Amino acid sequence: MILILFSTIFLLPVLSGLGKIMEKFSGTLFHGISGKILSGILGTSLVWTIVSFFIPLNIYVEIPTILLGLLYFFKEKLYLEFYRFSKKDFLLITFISVIILLSGSYYPYILDHFGYYVPTIKWLTEYGLIKGISNLDLTLGQMSIWHIFQAGFSNFSDPFLRINSILLVIYTIYIIERKTWVQLCFLPILLFLSQSPSPDLPVIIFSLLILNEILSGNKNIGLLFGFSVFVFAIKPTMIWLPILVFLNNIFIFKPNFKKLLFGGAILLLFIIKNIWTFGYPVFPVSIGDLGFSWKPSPEVLKTSSQYAILKTYDMQYSFDEIQRFSTLDHIKNWIFLKGIKSKINILLIISLFVFSVFTWIKKNKLITFICISLLIKSILVLAFSAQYRFFMDVFFVIFFVLFHKYWNKRKSIAAFSLFSLFFISLLSFPNLIQQYVPSFQLGNFMVGFKKQQLYQPSVYHYQQFDSFKVGNLKFNVSKNYPYNFETPLPAISTSFIFDDTKAKIFPQLIDKNNISKGFTWKRMTYKERKEADAAINIIENINK
């Protein structure tokens, strides 16, 4: 907890200084220290995305960035911005920050932390963006811009990967600075995402900030659209946000397509990044085939698509059963899944219906565009993979639009305090979740409070692995564990080894002497099949 505090105190000036530099080129989205910090996050993320095509995001990238940020923080006297908070507001920021830092010090429990977030960050810090890395492990093809941002600060400033906790402190500063008190009610729920660099947290926070700016009458469409595309680039399921700003630009303000150029440039960078790592413009959809040789094999993409369908129904039906569903069966079985996810799905339908009725009654053009954007997003998610985690942001947005005018400071602080106590209790005593909500599977991976976390955030260590060779690829596999969060690179998850060998293919180095040149796939020869079978036999025997 104390070490996260040091990281926070250190990075806030750095990001605000970098934000001041960014504002010289892009202009100001809104005034205040939180506005500069957000501009710093945006600018740093975009620059590092470009840099990572050429070099790893190691300490030689991090240190000059830190020095530049600190230089501008003191040169522009940005520290004076912090003195503008009243004593009461400063005490409130301190109180909320202590709760955030405490929650961020617990053990990570989101499985993607071990199978996706940490491996991605390892690749970025050791090699940068690797061409065709999705051939090695399809999940790595995402390479979220948020993980690029985390990777750049993971060498020295935030080695425990708690950037989400720091972002929650920044969010707190924004809420108090902009007096948008209803957003305090969201903080306790978001505490569950503070232990890992999950991209779900920044996209929820940034979307709420942008939405608040739009509702508050912010007319800087160019930056609003740029930020909205940035959010989309972090997680494409947030497509509703750039749609909203685009509609806002066309139908509420005087249409000006020049204001969309900044966002268009970010979108182009996002597409280039995806093509480089995945072979297609948008991960994980194989639409827009431009014929790049490093794109994943059709068999692997087909398996991934089938798995997404299985996840839609929470693995409660086989793929063959789902294929036999009628249209009515698809809807009915999704709504009435066993466990808590059924309740979330039903709540989504009810929320969208209530918001649609609210929109019809209000007859407000801006609210109508918000509703249309959310409906488009929901339809797309339902069509591709209707997993509850892909539409959690919808609940926050609807609640915010419905109640942002009716929650004052006192009510919001009371709600934050009450629910924070509740959620911290769940993190500290996860057996409560395991006992009363057994269908919430992540509850089984929560550990609870450890006194050591008051100083250092809790992290797992698992460095047992085996090494194998198939063709020209030497790779490592975590021993008796499905994820490779501490396995030396290049590492492959066992599930992808099984999928590849089943399809009779295997990833190979484009240049056998240089991992940085990237990966492709090829049909296995007889010798390579024997090597892959030998590796699988060892893995299966260890797992027994």
Side-chain angles (χ1 to χ4, degrees), residues 90-379:
F90 183 77
L91 289 174
L92 181 59
I93 291 173
T94 303
F95 167 66
I96 296 173
S97 297
V98 168
I99 294 175
I100 291 170
L101 298 178
L102 174 61
S103 69
S105 66
Y106 286 80
Y107 277 102
Y109 63 89
I110 300 173
L111 295 183
D112 277 349
H113 178 89
F114 310 100
Y116 164 36
Y117 308 158
V118 176
T120 296
I121 292 165
K122 279 173 64 69
W123 276 101
L124 287 165
T125 53
E126 293 185 30
Y127 293 98
L129 288 172
I130 298 294
K131 182 170 68 176
I133 196 169
S134 58
N135 290 295
L136 184 75
D137 190 321
L138 185 64
T139 309
L140 296 176
Q142 300 175 70
M143 288 285 166
S144 171
I145 290 181
W146 189 245
H147 293 135
I148 291 174
F149 179 70
Q150 169 71 91
F153 284 120
S154 67
N155 306 281
F156 171 73
S157 311
D158 181 29
F160 298 101
L161 309 183
R162 278 350 191 243
I163 202 71
N164 277 13
S165 296
I166 299 171
L167 179 61
L168 282 171
V169 174
I170 296 168
Y171 185 37
T172 302
I173 294 172
Y174 172 85
I175 290 171
I176 294 172
E177 199 170 41
R178 304 292 284 176
K179 311 300 181 187
T180 173
W181 301 114
V182 69
Q183 297 198 52
L184 284 179
C185 301
F186 302 140
L187 280 172
I189 303 172
L190 298 177
L191 295 178
F192 277 116
L193 299 173
S194 62
Q195 303 83 19
S196 300
S198 167
D200 292 321
L201 182 74
V203 296
I204 290 173
I205 288 177
F206 293 152
S207 64
L208 291 170
L209 300 188
I210 295 168
L211 185 59
N212 182 63
E213 293 303 314
I214 292 172
L215 291 171
S216 300
N218 192 319
K219 297 180 181 180
N220 193 339
I221 294 296
L223 264 181
L224 287 172
F225 186 68
F227 264 98
S228 69
V229 175
F230 174 62
V231 174
F232 169 81
I234 293 175
K235 198 172 182 70
T237 54
M238 302 299 293
I239 190 171
W240 70 270
L241 194 58
I243 290 175
L244 170 62
V245 181
F246 180 80
L247 293 175
N248 199 31
N249 176 55
I250 297 297
F251 295 105
I252 295 182
F253 297 99
K254 183 180 179 180
N256 187 343
F257 289 99
K258 288 184 179 180
K259 294 182 177 179
L260 306 181
L261 291 178
F262 180 48
I266 297 174
L267 180 62
L268 179 61
L269 178 62
F270 166 74
I271 290 172
I272 292 172
K273 173 190 71 70
N274 282 341
I275 289 175
W276 186 253
T277 59
F278 175 56
Y280 295 93
V282 180
F283 183 94
V285 184
S286 57
I287 295 175
D289 186 358
L290 300 175
F292 292 103
S293 60
W294 60 85
K295 64 186 180 184
S297 75
E299 292 94 336
V300 170
L301 290 174
K302 182 180 178 181
T303 300
S304 173
S305 177
Q306 291 176 354
Y307 184 70
I309 294 172
L310 292 173
K311 290 289 288 182
T312 295
Y313 293 93
D314 196 33
M315 311 298 286
Q316 295 179 19
Y317 300 93
S318 69
F319 183 74
D320 290 336
E321 287 176 318
I322 296 172
Q323 290 292 93
R324 291 193 294 269
F325 286 169
S326 65
T327 301
L328 183 61
D329 288 334
H330 277 289
I331 298 171
K332 181 186 67 175
N333 292 332
W334 178 76
I335 291 176
F336 297 108
L337 289 170
K338 298 175 184 176
I340 192 173
K341 292 177 183 177
S342 170
K343 313 298 186 298
I344 297 174
N345 294 342
I346 293 171
L347 183 60
L348 172 69
I349 301 300
I350 294 173
S351 299
L352 289 172
F353 175 76
V354 170
F355 192 59
S356 298
V357 172
F358 172 79
T359 301
W360 181 77
I361 293 172
K362 281 289 185 180
K363 292 182 171 59
N364 177 283
K365 190 177 289 187
L366 180 55
I367 293 176
T368 300
F369 292 150
I370 295 172
C371 184
I372 291 171
S373 303
L374 291 180
L375 288 173
I376 291 173
K377 176 250 175 68
S378 300
I379 290 169

Side-chain angles (χ1 to χ4, degrees), residues 10-22 37 39-52 55-74 78 148-157 163:
F10 183 68
L11 283 178
L12 291 187
V14 170
L15 291 172
S16 58
L18 295 171
K20 185 64 177 180
I21 299 173
M22 179 67 179
I37 292 173
S39 293
I41 292 173
L42 173 65
T44 305
S45 299
L46 297 179
V47 171
W48 279 352
T49 299
I50 296 171
V51 167
S52 61
I55 58 175
L57 298 176
N58 53 31
I59 197 165
Y60 299 107
V61 172
E62 182 177 5
I63 294 299
T65 305
I66 289 171
L67 294 176
L68 185 62
L70 290 176
L71 173 65
Y72 267 80
F73 177 75
F74 290 105
L78 299 180
I148 291 174
F149 179 70
Q150 169 71 91
F153 284 120
S154 67
N155 306 281
F156 171 73
S157 311
I163 202 71

